[in-house]
Amino acid sequence: MIKRKFAPPERRLQLLIAREKAMPAALAEARKNLENPPRIYTDIAVEQIDGNRGFFQTAVASAFPDVTDEALLAEFKDATTPSSPRSVSTRNGCRKIC
């Protein structure tokens, strides 16, 4: 969605936001399906959270310079901001799975 220009930037950003918003449901399914995962997997996932968050806040955000729709940009920021209730890019969220 970032590099491949299969649709206008606004549409690609909308699709990306939809994927971000789908993450809580995916994590809920993970909670239901994971029983006592190896500690090392949990530790690695938690360590990667900051990098993933940084990727969305910098690389992904800068991949849509042509998007000028303020509402769409605000929606993306809300979906990506760690303190947002809709954001899943938090260490606690990752720890809750396990």
Side-chain angles (χ1 to χ4, degrees):
M1 287 189 194
I2 297 170
K3 287 188 176 186
R4 204 167 58 91
K5 299 187 181 348
F6 60 89
E10 291 80 5
R11 180 65 183 141
R12 290 185 291 127
L13 186 55
Q14 289 171 337
L15 293 170
L16 181 71
I17 292 166
R19 284 188 182 186
E20 284 190 86
K21 288 181 176 182
M23 284 304 299
L27 291 174
E29 284 300 311
R31 274 186 216 101
K32 288 194 288 188
N33 293 316
L34 292 175
E35 293 181 22
N36 198 23
R39 174 98 182 163
I40 188 68
Y41 293 165
T42 303
D43 291 343
I44 290 170
V46 169
E47 288 174 11
Q48 291 177 340
I49 290 293
D50 289 334
N52 293 341
R53 183 185 314 139
F55 173 74
F56 273 89
Q57 291 175 331
T58 57
V60 175
S62 67
F64 297 96
D66 298 332
V67 175
T68 57
D69 181 330
E70 292 298 324
L72 184 59
L73 292 170
E75 186 178 7
F76 172 70
K77 184 177 180 182
D78 185 52
T80 308
T81 302
S83 61
S84 168
R86 288 178 282 288
S87 175
V88 295
S89 61
T90 64
R91 289 175 181 264
N92 288 339
C94 189
R95 283 271 183 217
K96 287 178 187 175
I97 294 173
C98 307

